[in-house]
Amino acid sequence: MVVGNKFRFMEKLQATMSTMVEKIASCEFYAGIYQQRRPILVPNTQGVDNDPDTDLRNLYTAVQAFLDKAMDYIERGKTGTGKFTNLFQSFSVTMEPLIENIRDKEEVLKKYAWMATIETIKALPGSIQKLDSDMGQIQENLLKLDEIRTVWGKMVERFSAMDLAQELRPQPREIISFDSELQMLKSKDLSEFEALKIFQTDLYVTARGMSTPQAPESSYFNLADRLREFLSPNSPQKVCLIQGAAGLGKSTFNHFLATRLWEEYDQAIAASEDAIPPIPIFVTLARLHDPNCHNQDLISKLFKRHNWPEERIWKAKQHLQFVFILDGYDEIENQQGNFYDTNGLKDWQAKTVITSRPEYLGRGYQWKFYPQGQPKLLQEYWLAPFSINDIHEYIRKYVEMVNTTDTSGSEAARSIDDYKELMENKGVRALISNPFLLKMVMTLQRTDGSTDFKRVKLYQRFLDHWLNGAHKRLSAVIQVPSNKREALGSLCDQDFVGQAREFCLSFAVELYRHKTLEASYTSRSQYGLSTRRLTPEAKAGQETWKKFLGIDDSSQELLRRSSPLIRVGQTYRFLHKSLRDFAVAQSMLQDQALSAPDSLLNEFHVVEDHGIIDFIVEEAQQNEELQAQLLACVEDSKQNPEIAKAAANAITVLVRAGKRFHEHDLRGIRIPRADIRSGWFERAQLQGADLSGVRLDRIWLRGANLTGADIDGGEFGEKPYFTLEGSRLLTCFYTSDSELLVASYNCDNVVQVWSATNRKLLHTFRGHIYDVTCAAFPPNGDPDLFALARIDGTILLWSRQHQEAPFVHNLYMDRVHSITFSPGANFLAAGGEDNVVYLWSIATPYHTRCFSCSNTRVYTIAFSPDGRTLALAGNRDLVELRSTWNGEVLKILRNKTTPRAGNRFASVAFAPNGKILASAGWDRSLKLWLVSDGQLIYSFTGHAGGIQTIAFTPDSKMIAAAANDSTVRIWSVASLELVHIIEQISLRNSNLTFSRDSELIATGDTDGVIRQRLVPREMSGSVRVRNGHTNAVNDFAFSYDKKLLVSASHYEAAHLWSIDPPHMPNLVNVLVSPRKSSILAIAFSPDSVFLVTHDINKVHLYRSFQDKTSSSQDSMLGSHNSFVRAAAITTDGSIVASADDDGEIHLWSIQSGTKIHTLQGHTDTIYVIDFSPDGQLLVSGNSDSTVRLWSVPRCELLHTFKGHTNWVRHVAFSPDGEAIASASDDKTVRLWSVPDHKCLHIFQGHTNYVTRVSFSPDGFLLASGSRDKTMRFWSLSSRALLLNIDIQTEVTALTWTGSTPAADGLIAIGIQTGGVQLLQVIQKPGYSKENPAMELSWFWATDNGAYLNVVGARIAGVTGLNPTNIELLKQRGAIGKPAMGRVQEVEEETEWARR
């Protein structure tokens, strides 16, 4: 038999055996179905003879044993005729009776299904049909097995006529014949690594990895060891994607990995080991990748470049095992499509390691790196930054290298102590955690001793240092070749360093223009070669690189040799990709006119090239002149459409640099494909602007005018709300194709299932429906089932295909709080008012199991991913883990927080990987537990209200919690970091779910509003913009000179903000009380800031001096008999008042620290107190609906104001002390006269609790904030409503100050989610007490960039908006009618379209 036939025969044999395994596995699957159902269908199967499951398993075991033996024979070359004949005959003898035995037991299988009662059969004919269908499939597969057995018989005959032993024995020698080619590959790789050794490899520090971005340092692991596990034969993963920022050492690690794997391979070959390690193949993707080609088969292309013929490549695929180390996925141009499949990686016996910068991968990138439909074959790691220990190790190696290489003695010997100051500099710590930047810093610190580093300046200094060093070395050379001497002299006379810098920048630009990292040039005439065979494109490329790499020009050769380039053969590239990017960025900024049509800023679109644009952004942040030039470029685009690309780059840089376009005139600007996400465009004029293809996620466009703008292809990053008119939300759920299903219940006792994605009604259920408490969809996406529970304990189970005939099951319990399906939708569990949990099979719903639990009420139930464990939580501070089989208690997880009333768990959830359980409830924390041992891993905090529901992403990497503080917080499970806060969401009895690809998160409440948002990736800076609080802000104070603002939040530090200069407020200090207790009140004195804090019933005073010359002071004023709720400080900083749950107010002297008096009179909790401007009066409001006025000097009650019908939330004195305003839960604001002790007016209009009131400094206006998400401004003269402003969230703090250099007044607003916002007051002409006409403009906000704000934005005549975006903008408060016409396309809902 010829060799080719032999290989084809082997392929056919393996394929046939694989098919047989699949058929047998299919039988095993159906056997598993019966095994899973039997415990309920046949409660007592012990003693039942002729168990068909046993026979199926025996058959499977016999076939598997045969396959293992056959493969062993083939691999060991034992393929003689006699051995195979005996093996096949033995197998046939074994298999025959097993198949016949199973056929004889067909009736037994059916009997098992029919042992249920006659009533069950009548009620569930569909289930019996399903079982019969299963039986048929088993029989069908058994017949196929019989056919395969016949095939084996024919193959036995074929083997009898052949003697393959002689032909198969040379096969090992065939593999050995690859040795010369492999050695050539290894030599090339290692020689190239050697060229990089001086700059990188000699200083190599063990690379550390992370399981997720931002993982804590304690969780770092040895990345090489983890890769060894990935490469082991027992690991199922095929691809390992390693992500890391620029300069973290991805390429260096790949070099190290390839070198180590070659060493292991050589050692195994030398030792003649049986198990040969895989062969490492290092690939620089940028060299091979053709941006104009999709299906490239890069690995085959690599071998062809090394002159491997097709036949050798085919044989390598069949007989060799590889590790492909693919370096720099982020450096290839075309990243569309599945990289794994389109490049033929599936055709190789190989595992693949790919590295990339994360910012170039985009959303939902994982599907590109694994075989289609097999996500479990992908492993992801992140390269960790240097820890402090890594930095120490690097410095030690660096010092050793410097002292070893400096043999001339020109420098004093270095020691680690010389770099002690560098390591202790916290400002440099983040910078030097990047290995490449650490090398730069070490080099520069060695030469000039400076430790004042910023990234852009660092690269500038490094380049100058390198070029100056090269100049000195050339100048010191005594015998310069004659053909170079004149060129060197000329260069030195004309600023050598400047010309060398220009060479570097020009070379970098050409590399970027050609979309490559390296260039090669060989003078063909030098070697007597003809250029006739080169294509025109290749000739043009050679001419381009000749200018930089040719040998004819001595000056260019000297400049090239002086540049920070690496040379491998005739190929040149920069020491690091970031050096090339820096040089390109510098070149783009050196053009005299940035807005010229031929400028580099207008040639390259770098909006999405983070490597370049980040350098420009950093430069702009430090250079106001550059900001002015970029802004001028944006302005010039109004008149010149040819510079649209430059304008898009410019505005992207400005937004990322923090430029605020507050009321800017941007009419007619052209910025297509710009990225202005999270930008500030308050009341900006954008009429007629070209915003096509612009990223607009989380942009602040409140009051902006976009009339006539073109937003074709613009992306807002959100979907419109789906509102259930007149219905109550029951539950929501994503199907496997990311369609959001919503179940609702209305007053007509009808349950409907909607597609929120397509906005269509799918199903309507009627009959037996009333007083519905909860509902559930199967978690496996089964389109057929739906369950709901009534208040009387009845469960209704529907097939959505047969809507009119629900199965009704009465549990005889008071109220069902929770129902849930098992992962395979085989079981349904329910719990409620009693302490019993019910569990029954979907196939036989009359067969029910139940067991009692420790909680007297069960509020939430969750199945583990394998369906074997139930997690239960209720009205006690514990979670029970119980067996679904018999209800046995497996573990008890206890809430160990301080016991408080209502400290119960409201939600539990298993991570999809089954390793972690999460629980959350009214103590405002979310806890993670290890399922294996019940240990508490971590407790997330930050919510200002009780948590109602939680959910894991399907990949188990993140968890979200929805709370009644109107926020959803998303945390990383691995790094334990807060990833994102979704704000301005009204959540009550909320629902929360993630799509199957973890791309979307849906929230819904009982008001019938369902919201969908994109889930943010775990990236730094995504949680909070400009350092806002993470809990609700509860108080403000302006300094006397109005240059400082201090904000306070419960359970957090106070933040001190500078609002001078007014155009860019910034955080200047964080005031942390030593006790870290809750801040109740804050106030400025002329020289300090006071914080009043409490620790349950104790009151503390913390004083921080502004000049920082005096030490801060912290003292305890005293104790109350109950919980302290409120506090206030007089304007002169002499007295503190504190109020408690018993209705008492204590007055304290700040100077002496002693109690002055106790004011008594309230009968219930006091929520708010306030001093009059002169400190002589005190006003208080409480839950008994009264407002009380007290005399501070006399310590007595002056008057009790009555009129409110609900709790009083806030009180405030007018500037002259003559009036008091009070805010109440009765949705009104009342104005009281202090002298006359009467109600002057009732301000009505709010639709929810009024939470805050504040007078304008001149006393003309009154502002009120409410839970209805509005702030209203009232004239105190006419009592009229002047303004009604949509805040989009609950106002929790409100303070008004007088005129500043920036405005006629500023209003500070604190919101529920921890944001701080400043509103600019603009007084209109004729402003007076009788006519206090004014308008507001948002001046600044810490939560800018946290959500989309388009309230009041004018979109009349806007073109290019698709229907989805039109609906989104309308819902968010935009006004006007967009143009209907040229680009009204139906929105694509597929994942590829979004990418």
Side-chain angles (χ1 to χ4, degrees):
M1 183 185 295
V2 297
V3 173
N5 289 336
K6 176 190 65 181
F7 283 127
R8 282 191 288 276
F9 175 77
M10 293 285 290
E11 284 183 327
K12 185 173 182 180
L13 175 63
Q14 293 180 12
T16 306
M17 289 192 293
S18 297
T19 302
M20 186 172 182
V21 170
E22 292 177 5
K23 305 304 179 185
I24 297 295
S26 180
C27 281
E28 173 73 355
F29 170 74
Y30 288 110
I33 290 179
Y34 279 88
Q35 187 68 30
Q36 187 177 30
R37 289 178 177 171
R38 271 210 343 265
I40 289 176
L41 295 174
V42 190
N44 181 17
T45 57
Q46 294 164 11
V48 176
D49 296 329
N50 302 323
D51 184 354
D53 292 335
T54 302
D55 292 311
L56 285 172
R57 293 180 186 280
N58 289 341
L59 176 62
Y60 180 81
T61 302
V63 175
Q64 192 61 52
F66 160 73
L67 296 178
D68 293 342
K69 197 74 172 179
M71 290 304 296
D72 180 62
Y73 280 3
I74 293 172
E75 291 173 356
R76 293 168 57 186
K78 298 180 179 181
T79 53
T81 303
K83 290 186 178 296
F84 259 118
T85 300
N86 294 336
L87 180 61
F88 282 121
Q89 290 177 349
S90 174
F91 171 69
S92 298
V93 171
T94 303
M95 192 169 69
E96 179 86 29
L98 288 173
I99 292 177
E100 295 301 326
N101 198 22
I102 288 176
R103 284 176 175 166
D104 292 341
K105 294 173 183 174
E106 176 179 338
E107 294 303 318
V108 176
L109 286 171
K110 291 183 178 179
K111 181 181 178 183
Y112 278 14
W114 291 343
M115 287 182 67
T117 62
I118 298 300
E119 289 78 10
T120 303
I121 295 174
K122 290 180 179 179
L124 295 172
S127 295
I128 298 302
Q129 242 176 10
K130 183 91 164 67
L131 292 174
D132 286 340
S133 172
D134 291 344
M135 188 63 232
Q137 291 184 57
I138 289 181
Q139 290 299 309
E140 180 182 346
N141 280 285
L142 292 178
L143 291 174
K144 290 179 180 178
L145 280 176
D146 200 32
E147 295 174 5
I148 293 174
R149 185 167 61 88
T150 304
V151 173
W152 291 133
K154 293 180 179 179
M155 292 189 70
V156 170
E157 297 175 4
R158 185 174 182 182
F159 273 112
S160 300
M162 302 176 184
D163 184 4
L164 298 182
Q166 186 66 27
E167 295 185 25
L168 291 179
R169 283 195 191 102
Q171 188 174 342
R173 288 194 295 272
E174 186 75 25
I175 296 177
I176 295 175
S177 67
F178 284 97
D179 186 62
S180 59
E181 293 100 321
L182 295 178
Q183 289 301 319
M184 290 179 62
L185 279 174
K186 181 184 75 171
S187 299
K188 181 182 182 303
D189 284 350
L190 296 184
S191 64
E192 184 168 331
F193 300 164
E194 186 68 22
L196 306 174
K197 184 175 182 180
I198 294 177
F199 193 77
Q200 292 177 304
T201 311
D202 277 354
L203 299 174
Y204 182 74
V205 173
T206 301
R208 309 289 177 183
M210 305 181 290
S211 296
T212 63
Q214 304 180 13
E217 188 175 318
S218 58
S219 67
Y220 291 178
F221 49 79
N222 186 309
L223 186 57
D225 290 346
R226 195 64 62 92
L227 261 293
R228 186 184 295 276
E229 297 175 12
F230 162 76
L231 296 174
S232 70
N234 297 326
S235 171
Q237 283 82 21
K238 290 288 187 182
V239 182
C240 182
L241 175 63
I242 301 176
Q243 301 180 47
L248 276 186
K250 298 182 294 298
S251 295
T252 303
F253 173 74
N254 286 340
H255 294 168
F256 164 80
L257 179 65
T259 302
R260 194 184 74 170
L261 292 177
W262 273 121
E263 291 173 354
E264 293 176 358
Y265 177 81
D266 287 343
Q267 291 171 3
I269 292 295
S272 300
E273 296 179 3
D274 293 334
I276 304 298
I279 302 159
I281 302 296
F282 183 89
V283 181
T284 302
L285 287 175
R287 294 184 189 173
L288 294 176
H289 191 81
D290 181 356
N292 299 315
C293 182
H294 287 275
N295 301 303
Q296 303 199 45
D297 197 0
L298 291 177
I299 305 302
S300 295
K301 184 185 292 187
L302 173 71
F303 285 114
K304 289 176 182 177
R305 284 197 175 186
H306 289 84
N307 300 318
W308 284 42
E310 289 283 356
E311 183 182 358
R312 300 293 285 168
I313 295 174
W314 184 83
K315 290 179 181 178
K317 290 180 179 181
Q318 300 300 313
H319 299 287
L320 300 182
Q321 293 186 336
F322 294 97
V323 177
F324 297 138
I325 304 172
L326 310 184
D327 188 55
Y329 175 81
D330 50 293
E331 295 166 7
I332 64 178
E333 183 72 15
N334 191 338
Q335 297 181 359
Q336 303 300 316
N338 184 305
F339 181 84
Y340 187 91
D341 289 340
T342 57
N343 286 288
L345 294 175
K346 62 181 180 297
D347 299 331
W348 298 81
Q349 300 181 59
K351 294 203 172 187
T352 305
V353 177
I354 307 178
T355 59
S356 176
R357 286 177 287 175
E359 60 266 29
Y360 288 85
L361 294 177
R363 299 185 59 84
Y365 57 87
Q366 286 89 348
W367 66 276
K368 299 180 181 180
F369 298 103
Y370 55 73
Q372 187 173 4
Q374 303 181 67
K376 293 184 178 180
L377 298 187
L378 174 66
Q379 176 68 61
E380 287 189 87
Y381 295 125
W382 281 259
L383 199 60
F386 269 8
S387 65
I388 187 62
N389 291 333
D390 294 331
I391 294 173
H392 277 268
E393 176 68 8
Y394 187 95
I395 292 177
R396 183 191 65 78
K397 290 188 172 187
Y398 180 85
V399 168
E400 184 177 303
M401 182 196 76
V402 169
N403 292 336
T404 302
T405 56
D406 185 23
T407 57
S408 63
S410 59
E411 295 187 25
R414 313 288 292 185
S415 70
I416 296 180
D417 291 339
D418 295 329
Y419 300 95
K420 185 176 181 181
E421 182 181 352
L422 175 68
M423 290 185 287
E424 294 176 351
N425 188 329
K426 293 183 179 179
V428 183
R429 181 73 57 78
L431 197 68
I432 63 178
S433 65
N434 182 299
F436 182 70
L437 297 183
L438 175 59
K439 170 64 179 178
M440 278 191 180
V441 170
M442 295 288 292
T443 302
L444 297 174
Q445 203 268 351
R446 171 186 169 192
T447 56
D448 58 23
S450 173
T451 58
D452 181 20
F453 297 106
K454 288 184 173 59
R455 199 172 74 113
V456 173
K457 301 298 182 186
L458 178 63
Y459 275 82
Q460 291 173 346
R461 290 172 53 200
F462 179 81
L463 182 58
D464 289 343
H465 165 79
W466 184 283
L467 299 178
N468 277 308
H471 184 205
K472 291 179 180 178
R473 288 192 298 273
L474 284 174
S475 301
V477 176
I478 299 176
Q479 295 182 345
V480 178
S482 58
N483 61 335
K484 305 284 193 306
R485 191 177 302 119
E486 183 178 348
L488 177 60
S490 176
L491 289 172
C492 293
D493 292 340
Q494 301 176 22
D495 184 12
F496 179 90
V497 172
Q499 293 185 74
R501 185 186 300 108
E502 183 60 32
F503 175 89
C504 290
L505 269 55
S506 299
F507 185 51
V509 167
E510 284 301 329
L511 289 173
Y512 192 71
R513 185 173 283 132
H514 284 75
K515 300 176 182 179
T516 183
L517 293 175
E518 57 187 28
S520 301
Y521 175 78
T522 301
S523 176
R524 301 177 68 86
S525 59
Q526 179 182 355
Y527 297 100
L529 301 175
S530 172
T531 60
R532 293 178 182 177
R533 295 183 179 180
L534 293 178
T535 65
E537 293 80 5
K539 290 181 180 180
Q542 286 291 293
E543 288 301 316
T544 298
W545 302 127
K546 180 179 180 180
K547 295 185 299 184
F548 300 98
L549 309 179
I551 61 174
D552 299 333
D553 189 331
S554 298
S555 296
Q556 290 295 94
E557 185 178 357
L558 289 171
L559 294 176
R560 181 177 69 248
R561 293 178 181 274
S562 303
S563 300
L565 303 175
I566 296 174
R567 175 183 175 182
V568 178
Q570 298 299 316
T571 301
Y572 291 82
R573 66 173 179 233
F574 281 90
L575 292 173
H576 194 269
K577 180 182 182 297
S578 62
L579 272 175
R580 188 210 67 171
D581 292 344
F582 166 74
V584 173
Q586 290 292 298
S587 298
M588 295 177 72
L589 298 179
Q590 282 188 355
D591 287 328
Q592 293 296 320
L594 297 182
S595 58
D598 60 349
S599 68
L600 292 177
L601 192 66
N602 197 50
E603 178 182 353
F604 302 135
H605 185 264
V606 295
V607 167
E608 297 180 358
D609 194 328
H610 298 269
I612 292 176
I613 201 168
D614 286 352
F615 279 114
I616 303 177
V617 169
E618 291 177 36
E619 184 77 30
Q621 288 171 332
Q622 304 166 34
N623 187 336
E624 291 190 4
E625 182 180 350
L626 175 58
Q627 287 191 30
Q629 293 175 344
L630 293 170
L631 183 57
C633 182
V634 176
E635 292 285 344
D636 290 347
S637 71
K638 297 177 180 179
Q639 307 298 327
N640 188 356
E642 294 183 5
I643 62 167
K645 188 181 293 184
N649 287 327
I651 200 166
T652 301
V653 170
L654 289 169
V655 168
R656 293 187 186 179
K659 172 70 176 176
R660 297 163 65 248
F661 292 90
H662 186 87
E663 300 183 348
H664 265 60
D665 183 358
L666 300 173
R667 286 176 290 184
I669 64 170
R670 295 177 173 91
I671 54 169
R673 297 172 58 209
D675 185 346
I676 54 177
R677 287 177 290 178
S678 301
W680 182 278
F681 292 85
E682 166 80 14
R683 300 174 70 178
Q685 303 300 303
L686 288 159
Q687 298 95 312
D690 180 0
L691 307 178
S692 55
V694 173
R695 293 294 303 273
L696 300 160
D697 310 38
R698 304 184 302 278
I699 192 172
W700 190 289
L701 282 168
R702 176 185 280 268
N705 192 337
L706 294 102
T707 303
D710 178 10
I711 314 184
D712 181 19
E715 179 57 59
F716 291 92
E718 299 182 28
K719 292 177 177 287
Y721 306 152
F722 177 70
T723 303
L724 299 166
E725 299 293 344
S727 298
R728 177 169 65 91
L729 173 67
L730 292 174
T731 187
C732 54
F733 174 75
Y734 277 106
T735 64
S736 56
D737 58 357
S738 295
E739 180 181 12
L740 180 62
L741 300 185
V742 175
S744 66
Y745 168 59
N746 63 28
C747 58
D748 295 328
N749 292 329
V750 173
V751 171
Q752 295 175 314
V753 176
W754 301 79
S755 168
T757 302
N758 301 319
R759 284 163 162 64
K760 293 181 180 178
L761 177 62
L762 302 179
H763 306 285
T764 299
F765 301 111
R766 293 182 175 87
H768 307 282
I769 299 174
Y770 53 88
D771 297 331
V772 176
T773 60
C774 54
F777 289 108
N780 64 351
D782 187 339
D784 191 49
L785 294 176
F786 174 67
L788 58 83
R790 297 196 312 232
I791 197 170
D792 62 1
T794 300
I795 304 295
L796 305 180
L797 181 63
W798 262 283
S799 163
R800 284 187 274 155
Q801 305 304 319
H802 304 87
Q803 304 170 24
E804 302 301 327
F807 169 77
V808 181
H809 191 76
N810 200 316
L811 300 180
Y812 302 103
M813 59 192 301
D814 293 338
R815 181 188 180 99
V816 180
H817 288 299
S818 177
I819 56 175
T820 184
F821 286 92
S822 65
N826 297 316
F827 303 99
L828 187 68
E833 279 296 299
D834 57 19
N835 67 335
V836 178
V837 172
Y838 296 84
L839 181 69
W840 67 90
S841 166
I842 302 300
T844 57
Y846 284 112
H847 186 89
T848 307
R849 274 180 272 162
C850 60
F851 45 83
S852 300
C853 57
S854 301
N855 289 279
T856 56
R857 296 173 183 171
V858 178
Y859 289 121
T860 180
I861 305 175
F863 277 96
S864 62
D866 59 9
R868 297 178 180 177
T869 305
L870 273 178
L872 314 171
N875 61 333
R876 295 182 59 189
D877 58 347
L878 56 84
V879 177
E880 299 175 64
L881 299 185
R882 288 179 175 266
S883 166
T884 56
W885 173 243
N886 55 18
E888 177 187 355
V889 176
L890 304 176
K891 292 181 182 65
I892 298 290
L893 312 178
R894 292 192 178 276
N895 186 357
K896 297 182 180 179
T897 55
T898 304
R900 294 174 58 185
N903 214 20
R904 64 177 176 86
F905 289 114
S907 184
V908 292
F910 281 95
N913 61 18
K915 298 178 181 179
I916 295 174
L917 175 75
S919 63
W922 298 107
D923 68 349
R924 305 177 182 181
S925 68
L926 187 155
K927 295 176 170 57
L928 298 182
W929 313 81
L930 273 178
V931 175
S932 58
D933 58 12
Q935 293 298 310
L936 179 66
I937 302 174
Y938 195 73
S939 182
F940 296 109
T941 59
H943 276 296
I947 298 174
Q948 301 172 6
T949 185
I950 56 179
F952 281 95
T953 53
D955 58 12
S956 301
K957 292 183 177 180
M958 291 187 283
I959 186 170
N964 59 11
D965 62 1
S966 301
T967 69
V968 174
R969 291 172 184 257
I970 303 175
W971 288 277
S972 164
V973 174
S975 67
L976 307 178
E977 296 283 342
L978 181 63
V979 176
H980 192 64
I981 303 175
I982 300 175
E983 306 178 358
Q984 286 85 36
I985 297 177
S986 177
L987 295 170
R988 182 166 57 87
N989 299 325
S990 57
N991 278 265
L992 181 67
T993 185
F994 285 97
S995 61
R996 297 303 179 86
D997 56 7
S998 303
E999 287 286 293
L1000 294 170
I1001 181 172
T1003 60
D1005 60 29
T1006 51
D1007 293 333
V1009 179
I1010 295 91
R1011 299 167 173 84
Q1012 295 186 78
R1013 297 175 184 243
L1014 293 175
V1015 178
R1017 295 182 61 207
E1018 293 184 280
M1019 294 179 66
S1020 59
S1022 63
V1023 177
R1024 173 68 63 195
V1025 182
R1026 305 193 195 283
N1027 307 299
H1029 296 277
T1030 56
N1031 282 316
V1033 177
N1034 62 355
D1035 201 7
F1036 285 115
F1038 282 97
S1039 63
Y1040 283 75
D1041 59 7
K1042 303 169 187 173
K1043 293 183 178 180
L1044 295 173
L1045 172 70
V1046 64
S1047 58
S1049 174
H1050 284 300
Y1051 311 108
E1052 283 192 62
H1055 289 188
L1056 189 65
W1057 309 89
S1058 169
I1059 51 177
D1060 182 39
H1063 64 276
M1064 185 57 68
N1066 63 295
L1067 182 67
V1068 294
N1069 198 6
V1070 176
L1071 310 178
V1072 182
S1073 167
R1075 304 178 188 281
K1076 296 184 179 179
S1077 49
S1078 181
I1079 300 174
L1080 294 175
I1082 54 178
F1084 274 98
S1085 70
D1087 64 348
S1088 58
V1089 179
F1090 290 104
L1091 307 180
V1092 179
T1093 66
H1094 80 105
D1095 183 6
I1096 304 179
N1097 67 329
K1098 297 180 176 62
V1099 181
H1100 299 266
L1101 180 69
Y1102 177 73
R1103 185 176 187 180
S1104 176
F1105 292 90
Q1106 295 183 50
D1107 59 8
K1108 300 183 181 180
T1109 58
S1110 304
S1111 301
S1112 299
Q1113 301 173 358
D1114 178 64
S1115 59
M1116 190 182 86
L1117 298 177
S1119 300
H1120 286 250
N1121 295 323
S1122 61
F1123 195 83
V1124 179
R1125 291 286 181 182
I1129 308 173
T1130 57
T1131 54
D1132 61 1
S1134 61
I1135 298 176
V1136 170
S1138 56
D1140 61 26
D1141 279 354
D1142 289 340
E1144 293 185 344
I1145 302 173
H1146 295 196
L1147 301 179
W1148 314 86
S1149 169
I1150 290 180
Q1151 184 174 3
S1152 64
T1154 59
K1155 184 190 296 185
I1156 299 173
H1157 196 74
T1158 299
L1159 306 178
Q1160 296 178 326
H1162 281 291
T1163 58
D1164 210 336
T1165 300
I1166 300 174
Y1167 285 104
V1168 61
I1169 53 179
D1170 187 34
F1171 282 103
S1172 62
D1174 59 7
Q1176 298 299 299
L1177 300 174
L1178 179 74
V1179 64
S1180 59
N1182 79 333
S1183 58
D1184 64 8
S1185 306
T1186 63
V1187 176
R1188 301 186 185 231
L1189 183 65
W1190 311 82
S1191 169
V1192 175
R1194 299 199 303 268
C1195 298
E1196 65 181 18
L1197 177 65
L1198 298 178
H1199 186 72
T1200 300
F1201 298 101
K1202 297 181 179 180
H1204 283 296
T1205 59
N1206 210 329
W1207 292 3
V1208 176
R1209 292 281 179 180
H1210 197 245
V1211 293
F1213 274 100
S1214 62
D1216 59 6
E1218 294 293 308
I1220 296 170
S1222 57
S1224 170
D1225 283 2
D1226 64 11
K1227 307 175 186 178
T1228 69
V1229 176
R1230 290 182 178 248
L1231 186 67
W1232 312 91
S1233 170
V1234 173
D1236 300 333
H1237 297 170
K1238 67 179 182 180
C1239 180
L1240 299 175
H1241 190 73
I1242 303 174
F1243 297 99
Q1244 296 177 314
H1246 283 293
T1247 59
N1248 207 325
Y1249 301 163
V1250 185
T1251 56
R1252 285 295 186 271
V1253 287
S1254 180
F1255 287 91
S1256 63
D1258 56 16
F1260 297 171
L1261 296 163
L1262 178 66
S1264 59
S1266 167
R1267 283 190 180 178
D1268 65 9
K1269 303 180 182 179
T1270 68
M1271 190 165 67
R1272 299 179 183 233
F1273 292 83
W1274 316 85
S1275 167
L1276 292 175
S1277 175
S1278 66
R1279 310 291 198 252
L1281 175 65
L1282 299 180
L1283 286 175
N1284 182 8
I1285 305 297
D1286 184 3
I1287 304 297
Q1288 295 191 312
T1289 185
E1290 177 185 343
V1291 176
T1292 58
L1294 178 60
T1295 300
W1296 200 324
T1297 189
S1299 61
T1300 69
D1304 298 319
L1306 291 177
I1307 299 174
I1309 299 175
I1311 59 178
Q1312 180 70 41
T1313 55
V1316 176
Q1317 299 181 1
L1318 284 181
L1319 279 68
Q1320 183 179 16
V1321 179
I1322 304 169
Q1323 297 175 359
K1324 293 184 178 179
Y1327 177 87
S1328 65
K1329 181 177 181 180
E1330 290 72 24
N1331 181 30
M1334 47 83 76
E1335 61 181 10
L1336 295 173
S1337 174
W1338 258 252
F1339 183 66
W1340 172 75
T1342 60
D1343 56 349
N1344 168 37
Y1347 59 94
L1348 176 67
N1349 191 327
V1350 293
V1351 175
R1354 298 173 180 85
I1355 57 172
V1358 170
T1359 61
L1361 288 174
N1362 59 38
T1364 299
N1365 284 337
I1366 291 175
E1367 184 178 359
L1368 171 68
L1369 295 178
K1370 288 288 189 180
Q1371 286 181 348
R1372 301 302 173 85
I1375 56 179
K1377 184 178 181 181
M1380 304 297 292
R1382 64 182 185 88
V1383 213
Q1384 290 298 319
E1385 302 174 314
V1386 177
E1387 182 183 26
E1388 294 288 341
E1389 290 295 342
T1390 56
E1391 289 302 315
W1392 63 266
R1394 285 213 312 274
R1395 296 189 187 104

